Amino acid sequence: MPPKVVVYTRAGCTFCATAEADVARICGELGHGWTAVDVDSDADLREEYGDRVPVIMIDGREHGFWRVEETRFRAALA
């Protein structure tokens, strides 16, 4: 089963837009799907993540935040 990738993000966040583009590119190259979740759509998520977005999750575990470390991200998906 391929890893499940989720990016917690918010509208208007330039770091989020960059991270989403990086995740989309890398997951596309590797044939993995991914999902973006807007933390402002849920009060619990907004409280949990606050201004610490984007947060990249792989299989329910936090992989990183604020930016995608491409080499490490690719290794985690391999």
Side-chain angles (χ1 to χ4, degrees), residues 57-69:
M57 305 286 282
I58 299 176
D59 290 334
R61 293 180 31 194
E62 186 173 314
H63 177 74
F65 58 95
W66 290 335
R67 64 185 181 88
V68 177
E69 296 175 47

Side-chain angles (χ1 to χ4, degrees), residues 8-10 37-51 53:
Y8 288 98
T9 185
R10 76 168 22 100
V37 176
D38 185 339
V39 298
D40 292 326
S41 68
D42 180 280
D44 291 335
L45 291 175
R46 186 173 43 250
E47 183 177 328
E48 182 174 349
Y49 293 106
D51 290 333
V53 290

